[in-house]
Amino acid sequence: MKRHLISAADLSRADALLILDTAEELASLADRPIKKLPTLRGRTVVNLFYEDSTRTRISFEAAAKRLSADVINFSAKGSSVAKGESLKDTALTLEAMGADAVVIRHGASGAAHRLAGWVRGSVLNAGDGTHEHPTQALLDAFTIRRRLKGAGPAGPAAATPGARGAALDGLRVTIVGDVLHSRVARSNVLLLSTLGAEVTLAAPPTLLPLAVGSWPCAVSYDLDSELPKSDVVMMLRVQQERMNAAYFPSVREYSRRYGLDAARMARLPEHAIVMHPGPMNRGVEIAAEVADSVRSTIVEQVANGVTTRMAVLYLLLGGTEFPATDNAAGVTR
């Protein structure tokens, strides 16, 4: 793997499968009395968050602590950033403190890339503007693989869910909603296509980027026509906080055309799953009965986020082979 994880495009198919396989090994820790590994003992991971976050920040913190790393949480609010300190000066401060890895979330696209040029440690992009969010794509791929390993248009295969080494070849994934402002959508299109999935974006024309024609995916304006042939439906939140114009007539109209309710879910194949990166706008892009159904993986995605980010941190900072561990204590043999 490369030293940084800025974009899903940084990952080859082999890199992505290595992360997913490592995450599969790490997932076994969740059932052990002691969930920590000593792998990153003595390493320092800084969570540098310029935007509000719940799932991603806590997930990265939990992942680093389970690998025994020291964690420093940096929030722009209440820091020198509020006094006008630049990203570069903050980066130099972290460098002086000996940060081995910096996890950054920033409102400006390209911030993670700039940071990588200023620090010697590894930089992990936890979301930059409307650009990318690669670890979200990885945890989504991990969740899909655990639920639908070997599935395709004919339905799930008999293989054991979560078995190592499997890609997502032949799976049909439909990503629905506000693609224009979604860093999750960009990263998922890149990663899922690398892993062999067939990705379709379903959204109104006003919520699609101008350059979407160069993306490795298909585009549809009709959600209803895509549902019967989808193995995975990934709903995106309408990011009204990033909108500076009227992209659709009304929330009610958007929900009627692109919201996933029980009636639409009934059109999916029996094995199909419903995903959402969170936070959700219940009643807008997804109905409550769909979000809470057994076909929803939303809670699983949160749990899998810790495991997947542990794998990324381990591979960037610890090594390229997963250590064998004692079944009871999680101690490296």
Side-chain angles (χ1 to χ4, degrees):
M1 285 181 61
K2 298 180 180 179
R3 185 160 61 96
H4 308 296
L5 180 55
I6 309 298
S7 164
D10 295 338
L11 299 172
S12 66
R13 183 180 172 99
D15 289 336
L17 288 175
L18 176 61
I19 293 172
L20 297 183
D21 290 344
T22 304
E24 195 64 52
E25 295 279 0
L26 288 164
S28 61
L29 290 175
D31 298 325
R32 297 177 182 177
I34 300 175
K35 297 178 172 59
K36 296 187 73 171
L37 287 174
T39 313
L40 299 186
R41 184 178 295 149
R43 300 296 188 101
T44 301
V45 176
V46 177
N47 288 329
L48 182 61
F49 278 63
Y50 284 78
E51 287 186 328
D52 295 335
S53 171
T54 300
R55 293 164 185 79
T56 304
R57 181 180 60 80
I58 294 176
S59 179
F60 267 111
E61 182 177 357
K65 287 182 175 179
R66 288 186 186 180
L67 292 171
S68 301
D70 296 319
V71 180
I72 299 173
N73 288 314
F74 178 100
S75 175
K77 295 178 181 178
S79 72
S80 294
V81 173
K83 302 176 184 177
E85 183 174 75
S86 68
L87 175 61
K88 182 173 184 179
D89 289 331
T90 300
L92 295 176
T93 299
L94 298 177
E95 180 73 10
M97 292 179 178
D100 297 292
V102 180
V103 179
I104 180 172
R105 168 166 286 193
H106 200 285
S109 298
H113 178 75
R114 293 290 295 170
L115 182 65
W118 294 326
V119 298
R120 286 193 295 267
S122 296
V123 173
L124 287 79
N125 184 3
D128 60 332
T130 59
H131 178 224
E132 281 208 48
H133 192 354
T135 59
Q136 178 69 44
L138 283 164
L139 74 89
D140 289 342
F142 181 75
T143 303
I144 293 170
R145 191 169 78 157
R146 290 200 114 196
R147 276 282 193 117
L148 297 177
K149 178 194 169 293
T160 304
R164 291 182 294 167
L168 305 179
D169 296 302
L171 281 176
R172 295 177 177 177
V173 181
T174 302
I175 301 176
V176 186
D178 186 3
V179 178
L180 179 63
H181 302 99
S182 176
R183 48 201 175 200
V184 173
R186 285 166 172 76
S187 290
N188 264 297
V189 167
L190 292 170
L191 181 67
L192 295 177
S193 61
T194 296
L195 291 172
E198 300 173 16
V199 183
T200 299
L201 300 177
T206 53
L207 289 178
L208 289 170
L210 292 175
V212 73
S214 63
W215 292 16
C217 63
V219 174
S220 174
Y221 306 127
D222 183 7
L223 174 59
D224 292 326
S225 66
E226 299 301 324
L227 293 176
K229 53 188 179 182
S230 298
D231 300 300
V232 179
V233 177
M234 185 181 298
M235 306 305 297
L236 301 175
R237 179 174 65 90
V238 176
Q239 300 188 37
Q240 294 183 348
E241 73 277 9
R242 298 186 188 275
M243 296 182 178
N244 54 12
Y247 289 88
F248 45 82
S250 67
V251 171
R252 183 177 180 181
E253 176 67 11
Y254 175 87
S255 183
R256 187 180 70 83
R257 291 287 305 277
Y258 293 98
L260 186 63
D261 55 18
R264 279 202 167 103
M265 188 170 68
R267 300 178 187 177
L268 291 168
E270 290 185 4
H271 66 274
I273 59 175
V274 176
M275 308 184 76
H276 196 301
M280 294 180 288
N281 289 324
R282 290 177 181 249
V284 180
E285 74 271 5
I286 189 168
E289 62 265 33
V290 176
D292 298 330
S293 72
V294 295
R295 302 174 75 174
S296 167
T297 66
I298 296 169
V299 176
E300 290 174 48
Q301 287 171 261
V302 176
N304 291 340
V306 177
T307 303
T308 306
R309 286 164 178 138
M310 284 176 68
V312 172
L313 286 169
Y314 170 74
L315 291 169
L316 286 178
L317 300 180
T320 56
E321 291 185 5
F322 183 75
T325 57
D326 181 89
N327 288 336
V331 178
T332 304
R333 292 199 294 261

